[in-house]
Amino acid sequence: QLQKEALGQESSLSLIQEIHGLSAQLYQDTLICKQALAELTTQDAKSAAFAFKDHILSVMDAMRKSSDQLEELTAKKYWPYPDYFDLLYRL
């Protein structure tokens, strides 16, 4: 019994740590994206477009990966956003 409880606690702790790490990464990427977007307003349209392509899209891609992983790890009842199935078939 103790072994089962210990294994359950270890797996729960591992899941919590993974969710925490992904959430922290997503938060940091969000801050980077906000800062980069704020800087775009001071540039001409061509420079802004290249900055968006060269920097912001890669940050958005990282945010997407973190979000996808978080969605997979989070129970549906705790995920407040529509998932791909909802977007494709329910909306």
Side-chain angles (χ1 to χ4, degrees):
Q1 181 65 18
L2 275 175
Q3 188 176 15
K4 285 183 182 180
E5 286 180 27
L7 288 174
Q9 289 175 353
E10 284 179 32
S11 64
S12 294
L13 182 58
S14 175
L15 178 61
I16 290 167
Q17 289 172 333
E18 188 171 2
I19 289 172
H20 174 72
L22 289 166
S23 297
Q25 183 62 54
L26 183 58
Y27 179 73
Q28 289 302 315
D29 289 340
T30 301
L31 294 177
I32 292 168
C33 194
K34 282 182 176 182
Q35 179 64 35
L37 286 171
E39 291 172 7
L40 288 183
T41 60
T42 62
Q43 300 178 4
D44 62 273
K46 184 177 178 181
S47 298
F50 278 106
F52 196 93
K53 176 187 79 72
D54 294 337
H55 184 64
I56 294 175
L57 286 179
S58 63
V59 175
M60 289 175 66
D61 187 46
M63 292 168 66
R64 164 84 187 273
K65 288 176 184 174
S66 296
S67 294
D68 286 348
Q69 289 177 297
L70 282 166
E71 181 180 341
E72 289 178 13
L73 296 172
T74 306
K76 181 141 179 80
K77 67 181 181 179
Y78 298 116
W79 192 254
Y81 312 107
D83 59 18
Y84 288 121
F85 184 84
D86 291 337
L87 291 172
L88 291 174
Y89 302 109
R90 293 198 181 138
L91 296 179

